[in-house]
């Protein structure tokens, strides 16, 4: 295990991040004797650490040219890595193809290709990718339930339309995020999804997706579909996510703590207040619409300049209604939706960290198992040795003519493993496959004792146990090696992707804040113009005859304009 | 028997609405409530156009708590004016008055000038946007503004601005004496409490509607109705927006806190996020500021204008009543007249008795049965009726004049009110627009300032 610095991995320190990323990459390549290295799904592209870009909402405006790549797997691949700006566009369509009822299908345009997929297929794509790449942050898709709390409660049909539009936007973001991911964009499954040449069910039932193991924890991290994976993987335990680590990695502990905090903050204060604010804006825009109409009606009853002044005021209110509606839309698309997406990201990262945690637990448990087995073996050998000496002593005590019987006793007692191989176990020993559960060492020891007591021939049983222990030790040694490699690989890959994610996040927060500020500014600007116009019209109303001719208007009684008290300090500024 | 036959009504002359019958000469009634001025002689002015003889700019300032530590504590306000009206002895009168004095002023002005729209005083306890007790600064400021508006309305009224009571209100150093004098000797001749009152009292409310509605006043009434409707609707919707904005104020504050929290988590961009949080906070403060300095005063003014319009409507209603007085009296008169005619016909040989219908015939029979059917008693009765008719004719004449004069006065009053309304709407909408513009400008600057700060966040390498 590389000793990681005990620092918050999400910290924005680009220099460090860079070096880390490259070290992660180095680890990736030089992973010692990684058995199935030839089929590694991760292309050895140097872009692993550096090529990350925000997909939202700048739509890849600061996209760097992808790392050079020459062996394209298909035209989609070529298009995605053409070095130009690529943008996948989706469109929602109501259809009833192959179905009795209508459903929504999303049309995906990527370059020249066009594909149609249903929401469930997006979901399936995402799950598949998550299983294919257990160490990468797979971007989220809109959750199944409508994130309707976001939207204004409107008529049912309208809400549907709004929901579809929102889904469409978020699915598009999802696809573009994958397209810009340095590793995921190379996945042929993704290319086939974009191509739309074969049905998604076919993709699901053909390699690599059909080869995915049922338990992802017992498959190589770098390529879960590897068919030639070492049998050592079967010896790996299947730990629970809450199993405590003996020697946790501080770096990932920090990551976990941070991710939890981040998720809580986003789904708590941030999303809640956003939702509330949007609800309020929507109510406010309705009120303005009503008021605008009321003022317009009001102006019809009055005459002359007063009438047009009221009318213009009403128009200013109407303008506020229009601009507020626009503000609301922009807030939803550029603030609320990304916020929600990042809440989902946080959940995904949590799962990713759990995976790594489990990998780590696997490693430690394997280590423990191995030690237990070695101790047991030592124990067995000790008693074997003692038994032999006793036998020898007994033999010496008898006549020396008896000597030929020491068939298995004479060879060097330290090198006894070969001698036992020919033996068939006289009683069914515990299946080695079942040995992975924690605490199995104790159980088998117990069963050994039981067998020993029952056995007619304790010496034979002992020898059998010794040979079994050796077998298991060699398997566990294998597994430990694999586990160590996996752990190293997942740690470094996850770390690299987290670093990439962090940069993407900063870029997105930046975009979110800018778009929020711009939306508000434009809102102010529009309303200001409308009110200025209204003011000009109001000014035209003739003054009251009761006034001083030499305009020393001394209307001192006007409303006291207290200066604005801005409480612009919450602690910490 | 009264007004059985509507046709009789036609015998009474009724001035058509378009005919300008009002004459500012000495024949016009000069009781309180009627214009004492002779301004109409000036050219360029129609008979119903009001005329201001000078300006009177008033103000209410400086509320002070008097007798602060006693249970009789009250608040006094400095009322002052600038004027060139000849009735005032100084161009800059000023005095300290308390709320009760304003109440007295209003009550007596409305009594003395029933045909004028005397602006209402603020309800004593309408304190929707204010917290605290009677002596809290918020309350005093709110009331000061209300009283200021009250005096401003009085001073804008061409008749009221020249009333002696208002002058005394600004000038008198012995206001209490003035008050007592005013109560003891109301200005102007006593109301002629003659037949009109005695009769109209009995007839009032019997018919709630004017039978011969005057088109001009119908339109006026409708205009007032629609105006009030518009005001009420605007007030309701705007106060809803006000509450919404209040909520948004809180929301943006919360969002500022949330963004700041995000800044704590994202150690790399803490600083820009803090700036952003400040902007949100500033926006929230701007929202609150605009509610306090623009929306609330606007709503208060709106409501006060509604009250003023109610007063205007009351005057319109009073005019209707005057017309009703006249109409009822005319009916009564025609009833009496026809009774006399019938009697005369009976005396002159029962000639027309059949022509007068079944009811008169029955009446005759009843009279005959009572033994009152001798000619002498009929003549006696006729003499009585003649006297009554003469009295009634006078009363009808007076009522007619009163009604007409009141109608004219009301027409002028409407014009005055239109002026006042326009001026107030101008002020109100102008202030509103100013406040909104100030808010949007400030907010725009605020958002503009944050954009480059956020843009400076370094992205990628």
């Amino acid at each position: 295990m590389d000793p990681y610095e005990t620092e918050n991995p999400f910290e924005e320190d680009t220099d460090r991040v860079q070096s880390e990323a490259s070290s992660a990459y180095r680890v990736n390549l030089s992973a010692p004797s990684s058995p199935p290295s030839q089929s590694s799904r991760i292309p050895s592209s140097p872009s692993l650490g550096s090529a990350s870009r925000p997909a939202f909402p700048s739509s890849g405006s600061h996209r760097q040219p992808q790392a050079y790549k020459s062996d394209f797997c298909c035209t989609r691949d070529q298009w995605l890595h053409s070095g130009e700006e690529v943008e996948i566009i989706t469109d929602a369509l109501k259809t009833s193809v192959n179905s009795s009822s209508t459903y929504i299908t999303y049309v995906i345009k990527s370059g020249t290709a066009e594909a149609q997929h249903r929401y469930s297929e997006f979901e399936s794509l995402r799950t598949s990718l998550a299983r294919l790449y257990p160490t990468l942050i797979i971007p989220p898709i809109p959750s199944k339930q409508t994130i309707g709390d976001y939207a204004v409660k409107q008529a049912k049909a309208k809400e549907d339309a709004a929901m579809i539009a929102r889904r469409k936007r978020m699915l598009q973001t999802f696809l573009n995020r994958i397209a810009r991911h340095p590793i995921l964009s190379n996945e042929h499954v993704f290319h086939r999804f974009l191509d739309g040449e074969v049905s998604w069910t076919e993709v699901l039932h053909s390699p690599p997706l059909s080869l995915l193991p049922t338990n992802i924890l017992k498959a190589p991290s770098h390529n879960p579909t590897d068919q030639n994976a070492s049998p050592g993987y079967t010896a790996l335990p299947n730990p629970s996510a809450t199993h405590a680590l003996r020697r946790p990695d501080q770096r990932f502990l920090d990551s976990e703590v941070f991710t939890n905090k981040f998720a809580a903050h986003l789904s708590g204060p941030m999303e809640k207040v956003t939702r509330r604010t949007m609800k309020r804006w929507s109510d406010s825009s309705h009120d303005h619409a009503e008021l605008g109409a009321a003022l317009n009606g009001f102006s019809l009853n009055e005459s002359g300049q007063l009438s047009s002044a009221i009318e213009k005021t009403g128009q200013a209110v109407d303008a506020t209604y229009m601009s507020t509606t626009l503000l609301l839309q922009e807030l939803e698309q550029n603030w609320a939706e990304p916020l929600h997406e990042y809440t989902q990201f946080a959940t995904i990262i949590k799962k990713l960290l759990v995976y790594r945690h489990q990998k780590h637990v696997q490693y430690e448990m394997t280590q423990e198992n191995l030690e237990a087995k070695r101790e047991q073996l030592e124990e067995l050998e000790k008693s074997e040795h003692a038994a032999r000496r006793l036998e020898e002593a007994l033999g010496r005590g008898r006549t020396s003519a008896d000597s030929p019987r020491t068939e298995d006793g004479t060879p060097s007692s330290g090198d006894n493993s070969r001698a036992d191989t020919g033996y068939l176990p006289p009683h069914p020993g515990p299946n080695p496959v079942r040995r992975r559960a924690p605490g199995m060492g104790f159980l088998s020891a117990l069963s050994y004792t039981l067998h020993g007591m029952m056995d007619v021939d304790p010496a034979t049983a002992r020898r059998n146990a010794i040979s079994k222990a050796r077998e298991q030790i060699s398997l566990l040694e294998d597994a430990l090696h694999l586990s160590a490699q996996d752990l190293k690989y997942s740690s470094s890959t996850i770390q690299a992707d987290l670093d990439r994610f962090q940069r993407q996040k900063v870029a997105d927060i930046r975009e979110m804040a800018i778009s929020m500020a711009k939306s508000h500014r434009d809102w102010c600007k529009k309303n200001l113009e409308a009110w200025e116009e209204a003011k000009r019209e109001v000014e035209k109303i003739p003054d009251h005859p009761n006034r001083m001719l030499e305009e020393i208007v001394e209307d001192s009684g006007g409303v006291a304009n207290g200066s604005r008290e801005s409480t612009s300090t919450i602690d910490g500024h | 028997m009264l007004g059985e036959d509507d046709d009789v009504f036609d015998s009474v002359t009724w001035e058509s609405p378009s005919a300008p019958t009002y004459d500012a000469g000495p024949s016009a009634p000069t009781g309180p409530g009627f214009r004492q001025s002779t301004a109409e002689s000036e050219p360029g002015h129609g008979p119903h156009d009001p005329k201001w003889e000078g300006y009177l700019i008033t103000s209410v300032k400086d509320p002070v708590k008097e007798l602060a530590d006693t249970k009789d504590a009250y608040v006094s306000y400095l009322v002052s004016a600038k004027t060139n009206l000849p009735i005032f002895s100084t161009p800059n009168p000023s005095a300290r008055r308390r709320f009760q004095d304003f109440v007295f002023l209003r009550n007596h002005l409305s009594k003395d000038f029933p045909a004028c729209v005397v602006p209402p005083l603020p309800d004593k306890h309408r304190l929707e946007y204010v917290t605290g007790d009677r002596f809290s600064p918020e309350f005093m400021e709110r009331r000061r503004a209300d009283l200021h508006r009250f005096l401003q309305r009085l001073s804008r009224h061409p008749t009221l601005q020249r009333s002696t009571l208002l002058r005394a209100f600004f000038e008198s150093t012995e206001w209490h004496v003035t008050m007592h004098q005013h109560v003891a000797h109301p200005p102007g001749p006593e109301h002629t409490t003659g037949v009109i009152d005695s009769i109209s009292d009995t007839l009032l409310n019997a018919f709630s509607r004017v039978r011969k509605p005057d088109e001009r006043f119908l339109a006026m009434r409708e205009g007032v109705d629609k105006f009030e409707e518009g005001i009420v609707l605007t007030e309701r919707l705007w106060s809803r927006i006000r509450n919404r904005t209040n909520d948004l104020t809180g929301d943006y504050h919360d969002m500022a806190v949330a963004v700041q929290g995000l800044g704590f988590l994202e150690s790399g961009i803490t600083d820009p996020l803090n700036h952003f949080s400040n902007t949100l906070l500033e926006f929230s403060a701007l929202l609150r500021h605009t509610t306090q300095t623009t929306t609330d005063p606007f709503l208060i003014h709106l409501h006060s204008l509604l009250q003023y319009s109610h007063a205007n409507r009351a005057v319109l209603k009073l005019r209707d009543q005057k017309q009703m007085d006249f109409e009822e009296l005319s009916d009564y008169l025609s009833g009496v007249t026809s009774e006399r005619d019938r009697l005369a016909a009976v005396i002159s040989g029962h000639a027309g008795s059949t022509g007068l219908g079944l009811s008169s015939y029955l009446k005759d029979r009843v009279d005959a049965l009572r033994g009152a059917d001798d000619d002498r008693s009929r003549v006696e009765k006729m003499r009585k009726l003649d006297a009554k008719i003469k009295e009634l004719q006078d009363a009808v004449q007076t009522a007619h004049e009163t009604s007409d004069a009141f109608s004219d006065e009301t027409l002028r009053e409407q014009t005055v009110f239109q002026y006042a309304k326009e001026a107030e709407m101008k002020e109100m909408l102008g202030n509103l627009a100013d406040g909104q513009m100030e808010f949007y400008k400030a907010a725009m600057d605020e958002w503009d300032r944050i954009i480059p700060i956020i843009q400076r966040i370094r992205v990628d390498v």
Side-chain angles (χ1 to χ4, degrees):
Chain A
M1 285 289 322
D2 284 343
Y4 288 105
E5 297 100 306
T6 55
E7 267 174 76
N8 184 347
F10 282 82
E11 253 166 65
E12 170 70 352
D13 184 344
T14 331
D15 290 340
R16 194 174 56 75
V17 158
Q18 270 304 68
S19 66
E20 212 112 77
S22 51
S23 84
Y25 163 65
R26 206 169 48 240
V27 166
N28 180 21
L29 262 198
S30 60
S33 66
S34 170
S37 63
Q38 76 284 357
S39 65
S40 168
R41 301 198 63 87
I42 310 290
S44 43
S45 138
S47 65
L48 173 65
S50 62
S52 74
R53 60 212 89 260
F56 165 85
S58 50
S59 62
S61 50
H62 12 48
R63 185 190 160 94
Q64 299 169 334
Q66 270 282 358
Y68 300 109
K69 186 174 166 178
S70 48
D71 49 339
F72 299 113
C73 64
C74 62
T75 46
R76 254 350 82 209
D77 197 17
Q78 193 164 14
W79 177 73
L80 283 170
H81 300 95
S82 57
E84 282 163 39
E85 293 283 308
V86 293
E87 180 74 26
I88 298 166
I89 301 153
T90 58
D91 202 358
L93 209 72
K94 207 166 210 161
T95 180
S96 57
V97 179
N98 304 329
S99 169
S100 54
S101 59
T102 58
Y103 58 90
I104 302 296
T105 178
Y106 299 90
V107 184
I108 306 159
K109 292 196 186 77
S110 42
T112 53
E114 186 176 309
Q116 290 196 7
H117 289 289
R118 302 183 62 160
Y119 172 79
S120 56
E121 290 166 352
F122 277 88
E123 209 177 13
S124 157
L125 169 68
R126 201 197 160 270
T127 343
S128 308
L129 287 178
R131 287 165 62 82
L132 275 178
Y133 298 93
T135 55
L136 291 183
I137 304 167
I138 313 291
I141 58 169
S143 38
K144 204 156 204 165
Q145 297 83 16
T146 60
I147 6 165
D149 320 295
Y150 270 63
V152 195
K153 284 275 167 282
Q154 280 166 333
K156 183 80 181 90
K158 256 183 152 181
E159 188 164 284
D160 256 351
M163 195 270 284
I164 291 165
R166 191 166 42 242
R167 258 194 186 175
K168 187 203 79 106
R169 280 195 300 272
M170 294 181 85
L171 289 175
Q172 181 170 322
T173 308
F174 163 72
L175 291 178
N176 279 308
R177 282 204 196 279
I178 296 180
R180 290 177 186 124
H181 194 283
I183 297 165
L184 293 175
S185 61
N186 295 305
E187 175 53 55
H188 191 54
V189 170
F190 174 57
H191 301 154
R192 279 201 275 178
F193 189 81
L194 294 183
D195 253 340
E197 275 163 10
V198 284
S199 78
W200 180 243
T201 2
E202 204 170 305
V203 180
L204 276 180
H205 290 97
S206 58
L209 296 186
S210 58
L211 300 177
L212 276 170
T214 43
N215 189 348
I216 212 91
L217 278 173
K218 290 201 183 187
S221 296
H222 55 274
N223 181 9
T225 57
D226 190 359
Q227 294 308 289
N228 308 315
S230 152
Y233 276 107
T234 54
L236 286 175
N238 194 12
S240 85
T242 50
H243 197 280
L245 286 174
R246 276 191 305 178
R247 278 180 293 107
D249 186 335
Q250 187 57 41
R251 202 178 163 118
F252 283 98
L253 278 186
D254 290 346
S255 277
E256 278 160 25
V257 169
F258 177 82
T259 307
N260 283 334
K261 271 195 207 157
F262 183 76
H265 184 71
L266 238 54
S267 63
M270 288 295 277
E271 277 211 276
K272 264 184 206 147
V273 80
T274 300
R275 226 170 291 151
R276 211 168 59 206
T277 311
M278 305 223 333
K279 172 90 177 64
R280 219 84 85 177
W281 274 126
S282 126
D283 289 346
S284 169
S285 87
H286 288 158
D287 292 345
H288 276 98
E290 245 182 275
L291 181 63
L295 283 174
N296 198 33
F298 194 179
S299 76
L300 296 178
N301 297 326
E302 301 302 322
S303 58
Q305 198 47 51
L306 180 60
S307 168
S308 45
I310 297 177
E311 193 190 346
K312 270 279 180 296
T313 310
Q315 280 171 9
V317 174
D318 269 339
T320 311
Y321 156 64
M322 304 288 283
S323 61
T324 306
T325 312
L326 189 68
L327 174 73
L328 194 61
Q329 263 173 18
E330 290 176 348
L331 270 186
E332 174 169 3
Q333 288 183 25
N334 301 335
W335 181 267
E337 277 170 22
L339 218 50
H340 184 70
E341 198 193 1
Y342 271 91
T343 310
Q344 290 177 301
F345 261 126
T347 317
I348 291 165
I349 290 172
K350 269 194 212 167
K351 279 190 193 138
L352 206 60
L353 291 173
V354 164
Y355 173 81
R356 201 213 71 93
H357 180 91
Q358 282 172 316
K359 276 284 173 197
H360 199 159
V361 174
Q362 267 185 341
Y363 172 77
E364 285 192 351
M365 280 169 68
T366 314
Q367 215 168 18
E368 277 171 51
N369 270 355
L370 187 61
E371 273 160 25
K373 272 276 171 293
R374 280 189 177 139
E375 264 171 44
Q376 189 191 335
L377 180 66
E378 212 172 299
E379 213 47 47
L380 282 171
E381 278 173 351
K382 236 185 244 165
S383 59
E384 172 74 15
H385 192 65
R388 198 160 300 158
R389 271 174 49 193
L390 188 64
E391 224 167 287
E392 271 170 28
L394 283 174
R396 267 199 300 278
R398 280 185 228 147
T399 59
S400 51
D402 250 339
S403 56
R405 76 164 289 275
T406 59
E407 203 224 287
D408 53 355
T410 33
S412 59
S413 52
D415 185 31
N416 47 8
S417 61
R418 292 289 149 258
D420 290 334
T421 45
Y423 275 80
L424 272 175
H427 59 81
N431 188 347
V433 184
R434 274 167 47 203
R435 290 256 165 138
R436 50 188 122 84
M440 205 52 118
F442 172 71
L443 262 182
S444 54
L446 193 69
S447 75
Y448 163 77
T449 330
L450 270 171
H451 285 305
M453 286 194 293
M454 293 187 306
D455 245 317
V456 258
D457 186 359
T460 321
R462 190 165 57 237
R463 270 166 224 148
N464 280 335
I466 287 174
S467 78
K468 207 161 292 149
R470 290 203 175 143
E471 239 170 65
Q472 282 166 356
I473 283 170
S474 95
L475 191 64
L476 280 174
E477 271 169 349
D478 234 16
L480 186 66
H481 181 66
L482 293 171
S483 176
Q485 266 177 24
D486 263 6
L487 179 58
K488 197 177 216 168
Y489 174 80
S490 357
S491 294
S492 58
T493 319
I494 289 174
Q495 190 56 55
D497 213 33
L498 279 180
D499 292 341
R500 183 198 61 79
F501 172 75
Q502 176 62 19
R503 284 190 297 275
Q504 167 205 308
K505 186 169 70 181
V506 167
D508 281 352
I509 290 178
R510 178 178 177 272
E511 291 298 324
M512 281 164 70
I514 289 176
S515 104
M516 178 130 165
K518 279 187 177 157
S519 300
H520 278 87
R521 187 199 54 194
D522 295 348
W523 177 77
C524 291
K525 199 167 170 225
K526 270 179 219 147
N527 296 344
L528 178 62
E529 280 162 11
W531 277 106
E532 272 167 350
E533 206 172 313
K535 172 73 182 174
R536 275 196 290 280
E537 208 61 28
V538 170
E539 281 297 317
K540 287 188 204 152
I541 300 178
D543 279 318
H544 197 272
N546 178 41
R547 63 177 189 276
M548 283 183 271
L549 292 173
E550 61 289 19
E551 296 286 339
I552 317 164
V553 180
E554 203 266 321
D555 202 10
S556 66
V559 197
N561 275 332
S563 65
R564 171 161 53 95
E565 64 268 42
S566 80
T567 55
S568 58
T569 41
I570 31 174
D571 45 323
H573 290 238
Chain B
M1 63 159 193
L2 228 173
E4 270 171 340
D5 200 346
D6 267 356
D7 284 348
V8 188
F9 194 67
D10 276 347
S11 63
V12 183
T13 47
W14 170 261
E15 236 84 42
S16 79
S18 53
T21 54
Y22 182 67
D23 182 13
S27 68
T30 50
F34 302 104
R35 285 177 71 80
Q36 291 117 348
S37 89
T38 54
E40 284 75 15
S41 56
E42 212 164 289
H45 276 276
H48 302 314
D49 283 339
K51 164 90 170 67
W52 283 265
E53 296 200 334
Y55 63 80
L56 175 66
I57 310 294
T58 57
S59 73
V60 179
K61 281 185 279 203
D62 186 25
V64 169
K65 190 175 177 184
E66 312 265 4
L67 304 173
D69 296 325
T70 69
K71 68 176 169 51
D72 298 324
Y74 68 93
V75 180
S76 77
Y77 304 86
L78 179 70
V79 297
S80 58
K82 285 186 194 326
T83 183
N84 65 354
L85 286 170
I87 190 174
F88 285 90
S89 50
T90 154
N92 298 305
S94 79
R96 286 204 85 83
R97 299 280 179 249
R98 57 184 294 189
F99 185 68
Q100 283 174 6
D101 303 334
F102 284 86
V103 173
F104 180 89
L105 176 67
R106 199 213 108 83
N107 287 345
H108 283 84
L109 281 178
S110 61
K111 203 183 279 169
D112 297 347
F113 298 91
C116 292
V117 183
V118 181
L121 273 170
D123 306 348
K124 244 190 147 165
H125 295 293
R126 193 185 134 91
L127 297 170
E128 262 152 50
Y129 307 114
V130 179
T131 48
D133 69 349
R134 245 162 19 96
F135 299 109
S136 70
E138 292 86 4
F139 178 87
M140 291 202 289
E141 168 53 29
R142 166 80 196 279
R143 177 159 275 179
R144 186 207 61 73
D146 283 340
L147 295 175
H148 173 82
R149 188 163 296 129
F150 169 70
L151 281 191
Q152 187 185 44
R153 284 169 178 169
L154 282 182
S155 64
R156 276 177 177 168
H157 196 285
T159 308
L160 297 176
Q161 72 170 183
R162 283 176 292 126
S163 66
T164 47
L165 193 58
L166 185 65
R167 188 198 63 182
F169 186 77
F170 279 108
E171 291 187 343
S172 175
T173 48
E174 294 166 315
W175 172 248
H176 283 282
V177 178
T178 315
M179 282 205 286
H180 283 299
Q181 268 174 0
H182 193 85
V183 174
H185 312 285
E190 285 290 316
H191 238 297
T192 44
T193 49
V195 217
I196 309 177
D197 288 338
S198 57
I199 296 174
S200 59
D201 276 352
T202 60
L203 299 175
L204 266 184
N205 304 324
F207 304 88
S208 53
R209 284 202 161 265
V210 175
R211 263 179 294 162
K212 278 219 146 190
D214 188 331
E215 301 260 329
R216 295 172 298 176
F217 295 110
L218 273 187
M220 222 171 251
R221 188 73 179 268
E222 200 182 330
V224 171
D225 281 348
K226 280 190 174 159
F227 175 72
E228 292 192 356
E229 221 170 82
I231 295 268
V232 166
L233 189 59
T234 310
E235 189 189 4
R236 185 164 59 80
L237 291 174
W238 214 296
S239 56
R240 210 156 79 193
I241 289 178
R242 173 193 180 273
N243 294 339
R244 230 48 110 189
T245 311
N246 247 1
D247 293 342
L248 276 171
T249 305
D251 292 342
Y252 271 89
H253 183 271
D254 293 351
M255 198 185 282
V257 176
V259 167
Q260 203 193 21
L262 187 67
F264 285 140
L265 287 175
E266 300 293 330
S267 47
I269 47 174
T270 305
D271 208 44
L273 280 182
N274 274 348
H275 278 111
F276 190 65
S277 161
N278 270 340
T279 303
L280 289 167
L281 215 51
E282 197 61 31
F283 186 65
S284 161
L286 281 170
L287 280 173
R288 188 176 45 236
H289 176 71
T290 198
T291 300
Q292 281 168 356
T293 61
T294 305
T295 317
D296 284 353
F298 172 75
L299 282 173
I300 290 167
H301 197 164
L302 209 55
H303 192 80
S304 144
L305 190 58
L306 182 64
Q307 302 282 316
Y308 197 15
S309 176
H310 284 338
N312 182 34
R313 179 207 282 277
V315 169
L316 276 180
K317 200 162 183 176
L318 192 60
R319 192 214 68 86
D320 282 356
Q321 233 163 46
K322 297 286 179 204
Q323 192 184 332
M324 260 148 58
D325 286 354
F326 164 68
E327 284 175 355
E328 303 303 341
L329 274 173
S330 303
D331 275 359
Y332 193 32
L333 174 62
S334 65
V336 175
T337 313
S338 70
E339 170 75 4
R340 199 213 46 183
D341 288 351
R342 193 185 59 82
L343 278 174
V346 169
I347 291 166
S348 57
H350 312 275
S353 61
T354 45
L356 282 165
L358 189 60
S359 67
S360 349
Y361 174 73
L362 282 175
K363 197 172 184 330
D364 277 348
R365 300 314 308 160
V366 174
D367 285 350
L369 282 172
R370 287 210 316 238
D373 58 341
D374 50 309
D375 276 358
R376 215 182 46 181
S377 73
R378 282 205 186 95
V379 172
E380 175 69 16
K381 201 169 178 184
M382 260 184 74
R383 213 179 55 241
K384 266 194 211 157
L385 282 174
D386 276 340
K388 194 162 187 185
I389 286 172
K390 193 155 173 17
E391 198 187 337
L392 274 171
Q393 272 170 344
D394 283 350
V396 167
Q397 177 67 22
T398 320
H400 184 211
E401 278 166 5
T402 311
S403 173
D404 273 1
F406 209 100
S407 297
D408 286 336
E409 193 63 36
T410 308
L411 286 177
R412 195 166 25 243
E413 203 53 48
Q414 283 305 308
T415 321
V416 169
F417 184 75
Q418 283 299 325
Y419 273 115
K421 188 176 88 180
E422 283 195 5
E424 289 205 18
M425 291 288 278
K426 175 178 184 175
E427 183 195 338
M428 200 166 75
L429 293 176
N431 285 344
L432 178 70
D434 282 344
Q436 298 280 340
M437 278 153 56
E438 183 201 328
F439 164 71
Y440 287 122
K441 247 182 225 148
M444 200 164 83
D445 291 349
E446 204 59 54
W447 290 110
D448 257 337
R449 212 169 310 140
I450 189 67
I451 293 176
I453 296 177
I454 299 291
Q455 274 169 341
R456 248 175 269 143
I457 294 179
R458 203 158 47 108
V459 166
D460 263 341
V461 198

